[in-house]
């Protein structure tokens, strides 16, 4: 009898638990255990994430062009685009409200630690922001190859949209380009399958390293701030994503989270939505999202849809403000919702990017950006949860848009 292969989510779950166990053992051993995970386990996780990063530009480029071409006409592309952006914007605004509600409950009940005396020592060098118009201008590449080399995903998406649309409009004369895209995409899909099959290794090694080196931080003074963010992440996932999958797609919350599990766990350990893209595509496909639609929604989502990041930015803002003795008014909260929504859209789908964009929210409120230094040490722990939520939102959106565009196919059927 042929031996049945263990499913990928199961392999990832086992790798996750084993990683935590090994990480705990190494942290008990002490410094040599921590050094071991950092020097000998983490590099394998890094290799894996590098492999994902190296395929992410061709995956986004080819999958978006292929998705646009499979949709067949620009009207459908426009309709999918509008529904996707509306879903992203609404869910991100809700995420900000959820983040603010929990942050205010925690701050009001004095559950946040008072790090007021550490403000002077907080050091953080923000990146310079040149304003929204220059961000808008930067979305349009002046050199296509540079966008690929720098893995500037928003620019890669713009290039894909222009090429996808132009190949379609070129009709018969664009046939060669169409065939080339579909042939290269078939190749990159095979490569993606191979890299994804290695994901348990990435999950195990990263989890062991994070548990060994950051475990103590969870128990440290910021534990309640982390808890607040995680409550926000969980409430948003259950309330917004599983409910939208239930209401719009007719999928039970259990089926939804089970289907998205592999991508969620992978995002949790890799802390990069962009690197998780190949896994999210696989999950969305298995859950029955239309391939042409998820080929469009997921790359866009991994670049601009960051609800976990928005929740984190709201919680971090309220926490930092309370340490600085600033009480945010309702008007300022509205500003937080707007800037955190924009900041999360501008956040790249890579590790730690959300913290860099937090500077924008603080700056708008006139809170010294250097105070981000208070939470830098535990950013990875925030990042694991927020990336997990970001990716879950992308998958939920691809299912909903598939349904709104005329039905979802049977799970697992191409
Ligand atoms: N790491 C997150 C992501 O890739 C972005 C962030 O840092 O908030 O989705």
């Amino acid at each position: 009898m042929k031996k049945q292969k263990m499913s990928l989510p199961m392999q990832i779950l086992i790798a996750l638990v084993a990683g935590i166990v090994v990480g705990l053992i190494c942290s008990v051993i002490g410094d040599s255990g921590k050094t071991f995970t950092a020097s000998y386990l983490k590099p394998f996780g890094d290799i894996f994430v590098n492999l994902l990063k190296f395929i992410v530009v061709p995956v986004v480029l080819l999958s978006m062009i292929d998705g646009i071409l499979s949709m067949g006409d620009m009207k459908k592309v426009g309709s999918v685009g509008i529904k996707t952006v509306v879903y992203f914007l609404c869910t991100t605004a809700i995420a900000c409200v959820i983040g603010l509600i929990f942050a205010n409950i925690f701050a009001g009940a004095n559950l946040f630690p008072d790090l007021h005396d550490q403000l002077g020592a907080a050091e953080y060098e923000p990146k310079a922001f040149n304003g929204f118009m220059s961000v808008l201008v930067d979305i349009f590449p002046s050199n296509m190859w540079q966008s690929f080399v720098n893995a500037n995903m928003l620019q890669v998406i713009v290039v894909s949209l222009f090429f996808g649309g132009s190949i379609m409009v070129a009709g018969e004369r664009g046939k060669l380009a169409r065939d080339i895209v579909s042939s290269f995409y078939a190749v990159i899909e095979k490569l993606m399958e191979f890299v994804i099959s290695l994901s348990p290794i990435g999950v195990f090694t990263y989890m062991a390293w994070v548990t060994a080196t950051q475990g103590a931080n969870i128990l440290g003074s910021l534990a309640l701030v982390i808890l607040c963010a995680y409550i926000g992440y969980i409430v948003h996932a259950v309330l917004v994503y599983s409910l939208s999958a239930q209401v719009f797609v007719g999928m039970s919350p259990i089926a939804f989270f089970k289907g998205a599990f592999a991508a969620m766990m992978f995002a949790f350990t890799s802390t990069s939505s962009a690197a998780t893209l190949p896994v999210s595509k696989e999950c969305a496909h298995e859950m029955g999202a239309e391939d042409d639609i998820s080929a469009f929604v997921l790359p866009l989502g991994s670049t601009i849809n960051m609800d976990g990041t928005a929740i984190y930015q709201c919680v971090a803002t309220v926490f930092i403000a309370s340490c600085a003795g600033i009480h945010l008014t309702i008007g300022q909260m509205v500003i937080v919702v707007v800037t955190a929504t924009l900041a999360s859209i501008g956040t790249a789908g890579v590790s730690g990017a959300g913290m860099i964009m937090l500077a924008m929210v603080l700056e708008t409120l006139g809170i010294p950006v250097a105070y981000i230094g208070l939470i830098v040490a535990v950013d990875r722990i925030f990042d694991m949860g927020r990336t997990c939520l970001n990716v879950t939102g992308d998958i939920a959106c691809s299912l909903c848009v598939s349904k709104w565009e005329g039905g979802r196919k049977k799970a697992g059927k191409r």
Side-chain angles (χ1 to χ4, degrees), residues 271-274 306 309 347-355 383 386-387 390:
T271 62
S272 169
S273 302
M306 308 267 168
T309 305
T347 301
V350 295
S351 193
M355 191 183 69
D383 202 358
R386 63 184 192 243
T387 311
N390 293 344

Side-chain angles (χ1 to χ4, degrees), residues 267 270-276 301-302 305-306 308-310 312-313 344 347-356 379 382-384 386-388 390-391 394:
S270 70
T271 62
S272 169
S273 302
T276 312
S302 72
N305 182 43
M306 308 267 168
T309 305
Y312 152 81
Q313 286 169 345
S344 69
T347 301
V350 295
S351 193
M355 191 183 69
I356 296 170
D379 185 62
F382 283 115
D383 202 358
M384 292 164 85
R386 63 184 192 243
T387 311
C388 176
N390 293 344
V391 163
D394 302 338

